[in-house]
Amino acid sequence: METTVDGSSTAADPPPPFDPSAPAVPISYPLQTLEELESRAYFKSFHYPFNQAAVKLPSAGGGGCAELPQRPRILVCHDMAGGYTDDRFVQGGKNADAYAIWHWYLIDVFVYFSHSLVALPPPCWINTAHRHGVKVLGTFIMEWDEGKKRADKLLSTKDSAQMYAERLTELAVALGFDGWLEDFPKLSADVAGDRKFDVYMGIDVFGRGTYGGGQWTTDVALDVIKKNEVSAAIFAPGWVYETKQPPDFQTAQNRVMVTTYTVMESKFLTLLGTTFLPKAFSFKEASYNGGGNITFIGALGDSAEFTARLFQGELLLGKSQVHFTYSVKSSGNSQLGLALEFSSATEEKKNSVFLAASGNTLLTMNQFSSRFTSVIMPRRVTKLDEKTGWVIQESSIDMAGQILKEIRAICYRSKPGKSVAVAADTTLPDGPSDYYYAVLGDIKITTDGENSKFPPSNLWLVDGEFVSWTSGSQGSKKLSVKIVWRLKVGNADLFANTIYTSIRSLVHRLKVRVKTSILVWRF
């Protein structure tokens, strides 16, 4: 039984050798030889345009290439099953249980690794990491005896070394990632001096040659790294996935990453003598509308609060009113609101807005008005069916010309008297009087009116390339085509899109229409 490039199986003869120039289901793949790198062969590949990342790394100045923080950092090296598994399918695969990372708030640098000369990160990793402010590196590695021969060739002359460095830089820029991880000599924090945070001590989660044994005792090595005030490079975190750690992948991954979080950042926060833990992502609770949830659980006194940053960025608001909608379910008198941080374009004036959960308006104002520029109660609260327990809270603000810098979750307890959200779900777990439990399903930001920045349909060019028809069963026809959208004028890079698709019994219509600006975060 053979597996084709789209993941399907066939009993036919083995497929022909991979030909990067031939039209096929777009995939990500590495470079295996110096000759491929030197000749710039990758840019002639059919697959190249599909592998260009769409999301740039944000920065405080808006120009990308954010500086790494001056503190001990966490670098995560993918190193999972040789690389290019489910993630190689650029337009999406069929394995709903494919390996994934969702603890991006713990990570400073993500490295994509495979045992190939040049490992190019698939765009799914680049886009996701950049959305969370995480840098992405490819790997350039020369292993074993063949690696020594390659190194001798690369370093044969100064011009040769310069040429290969330029080729690597060109690939990183063209595909939209942030640099390369290369082999380098061991360096101590004492020698590094002011650059001690640029020293990364490696840990193999599988435990191969790792102090403390890795696996579920990875925190032993992390504790040593923390005491030496250097950074940590965590290799092969996919151990929990590859070895099928019980009880399931999501639970095991949460456990190992929360351990890392605790040791490296010490961000278990103590509130009035009690410990509170936000579970980064939860797949146990049924999601609101696909994906996972963020679950907050712990002990929280009547006057205590817990805050967790959800998003950080720069979103300039226009003249239209902005609507915030989020889904939540909670138990007892647990409440969850959203804190929004704004600044003016010149950074001279800062404003904070608290979108409170439904409840007693007077008590809520008394509790929060002294700490926020404004406190806004929801304009509409929609309680879904009792079985799911979800409550949809909608609030609106006018912040024309302001820049939304941050969104934080605020966990607190309502004062005596129940709110709509509190009464919504009786199926969630109960606990002691200070027990807090709330689940955040999604956040949606919308504005009124037409999105004038999105070009109308008459300004687009739609091209079909590599068109081929093949006959199927029962007289059907199969069309394979590369479809490219480009603007006739203007900055095409902002909106250009490319897909490759196969369609049976073709009935196809393209329509582009945008009536509302919408941002949606689903967990």
Side-chain angles (χ1 to χ4, degrees):
M1 187 73 70
E2 301 293 336
T3 301
T4 63
V5 73
D6 63 357
S8 61
S9 296
T10 176
D13 293 334
F18 174 59
D19 179 3
S21 64
V25 173
I27 62 170
S28 298
Y29 65 94
L31 306 185
Q32 303 290 358
T33 67
L34 286 174
E35 289 71 26
E36 285 181 275
L37 181 60
E38 180 178 356
S39 67
R40 303 178 73 249
Y42 186 81
F43 295 105
K44 303 171 187 175
S45 166
F46 172 83
H47 303 267
Y48 160 58
F50 299 93
N51 278 275
Q52 294 176 287
V55 181
K56 295 182 179 180
L57 184 69
S59 69
C65 198
E67 294 295 325
L68 289 170
Q70 291 303 304
R71 56 161 173 74
R73 308 166 192 141
I74 294 181
L75 177 151
V76 170
C77 187
H78 167 262
D79 192 12
M80 214 284 290
Y84 301 103
T85 54
D86 295 290
D87 56 5
R88 75 185 186 277
F89 298 114
V90 176
Q91 295 182 168
K94 299 178 181 179
N95 182 9
D97 297 318
Y99 177 71
I101 289 175
W102 52 89
H103 299 83
W104 292 102
Y105 63 100
L106 307 181
I107 302 172
D108 297 294
V109 180
F110 174 82
V111 178
Y112 193 83
F113 179 88
S114 74
H115 291 281
S116 302
L117 177 67
V118 179
L120 303 169
C124 60
W125 290 109
I126 304 172
N127 292 334
T128 304
H130 281 180
R131 286 189 181 99
H132 294 270
V134 175
K135 287 195 172 187
V136 178
L137 306 180
T139 50
F140 180 62
I141 185 169
M142 290 174 280
E143 297 180 298
W144 321 124
D145 292 340
E146 182 63 27
K148 184 179 183 304
K149 296 177 183 177
R150 289 170 172 170
D152 290 342
K153 178 178 179 180
L154 184 149
L155 299 172
S156 60
T157 66
K158 181 178 179 180
D159 288 342
S160 173
Q162 178 69 25
M163 179 270 292
Y164 284 114
E166 290 174 354
R167 294 293 188 271
L168 291 171
T169 301
E170 184 181 29
L171 281 168
V173 172
L175 296 181
F177 59 96
D178 309 298
W180 297 93
L181 177 71
E182 304 176 19
D183 290 330
F184 54 88
K186 292 182 179 179
L187 185 67
S188 70
D190 293 336
V191 174
D194 293 339
R195 294 191 61 191
K196 64 181 181 179
F197 299 140
D198 293 328
V199 177
Y200 291 83
M201 297 185 66
I203 300 172
D204 187 326
V205 180
F206 275 84
R208 297 164 291 200
T210 291
Y211 176 78
Q215 302 183 14
W216 292 118
T217 56
T218 296
D219 59 305
V220 174
L222 283 169
D223 192 50
V224 174
I225 292 172
K226 179 182 178 183
K227 290 176 181 177
N228 284 275
E229 293 189 308
V230 293
S231 298
I234 301 174
F235 291 85
W239 168 77
V240 295
Y241 184 88
E242 291 189 65
T243 59
K244 297 180 170 60
Q245 290 297 302
D248 56 69
F249 168 55
Q250 289 83 8
T251 302
Q253 173 123 309
N254 283 338
R255 176 184 167 191
V256 73
M257 292 305 292
V258 167
T259 299
T260 302
Y261 183 39
T262 307
V263 172
M264 291 303 292
E265 297 293 340
S266 298
K267 287 189 177 177
F268 275 135
L269 300 183
T270 301
L271 300 175
L272 299 180
T274 60
T275 300
F276 189 91
L277 170 64
K279 290 184 178 179
F281 283 85
S282 171
F283 292 85
K284 296 302 182 183
E285 290 283 353
S287 65
Y288 168 66
N289 188 16
N293 307 305
I294 297 182
T295 300
F296 299 87
I297 183 172
L300 199 64
D302 287 340
S303 300
E305 296 166 15
F306 176 84
T307 180
R309 189 176 71 191
L310 301 175
F311 304 103
Q312 187 177 39
E314 294 187 353
L315 178 63
L316 178 63
L317 302 186
K319 297 180 180 179
S320 300
Q321 193 174 49
V322 181
H323 310 294
F324 286 80
T325 304
Y326 66 99
S327 55
V328 66
K329 56 181 174 179
S330 59
S331 66
N333 61 350
S334 303
Q335 297 279 51
L336 192 149
L338 299 177
L340 314 176
E341 299 294 332
F342 296 91
S343 71
S344 62
T346 59
E347 298 282 344
E348 295 178 355
K349 184 178 180 181
K350 298 183 182 298
N351 293 294
S352 59
V353 176
F354 181 56
L355 306 181
S358 60
N360 186 298
T361 301
L362 180 59
L363 293 176
T364 302
M365 293 293 178
N366 289 339
Q367 185 173 356
F368 292 102
S369 59
S370 62
R371 290 182 286 124
F372 292 90
T373 307
S374 61
V375 177
I376 298 176
M377 301 301 293
R379 62 182 175 84
R380 182 184 298 119
V381 177
T382 305
K383 183 171 63 174
L384 302 185
D385 61 275
E386 296 287 345
K387 185 177 180 180
T388 65
W390 289 107
V391 174
I392 313 303
Q393 310 222 36
E394 302 176 54
S395 303
S396 299
I397 61 173
D398 291 293
M399 300 293 287
Q402 293 285 300
I403 299 172
L404 177 60
K405 307 282 286 189
E406 186 175 273
I407 302 176
R408 290 180 287 117
I410 303 289
C411 303
Y412 64 102
R413 308 184 72 82
S414 61
K415 302 300 181 180
K418 288 191 173 184
S419 70
V420 175
V422 169
D425 189 12
T426 59
T427 65
L428 294 174
D430 293 323
S433 58
D434 61 352
Y435 180 74
Y436 181 95
Y437 189 94
V439 182
L440 179 62
D442 77 338
I443 302 173
K444 180 166 63 175
I445 305 175
T446 62
T447 60
D448 295 324
E450 193 80 20
N451 183 353
S452 59
K453 293 184 178 180
F454 198 91
S457 58
N458 62 346
L459 295 183
W460 290 86
L461 289 174
V462 182
D463 295 328
E465 302 173 357
F466 300 99
V467 178
S468 66
W469 290 90
T470 55
S471 299
S473 59
Q474 299 178 345
S476 65
K477 293 284 188 179
K478 180 180 179 181
L479 169 67
S480 296
V481 59
K482 175 183 174 183
I483 303 174
V484 182
W485 288 265
R486 294 188 182 92
L487 284 176
K488 296 178 182 177
V489 294
N491 188 350
D493 292 338
L494 294 176
F495 299 101
N497 196 10
T498 305
I499 65 168
Y500 183 80
T501 186
S502 295
I503 306 170
R504 293 186 184 274
S505 302
L506 178 69
V507 177
H508 197 57
R509 176 180 298 172
L510 298 176
K511 180 181 290 186
V512 178
R513 180 180 296 168
V514 175
K515 289 187 175 179
T516 306
S517 300
I518 300 178
L519 292 176
V520 181
W521 288 282
R522 290 200 177 96
F523 310 103

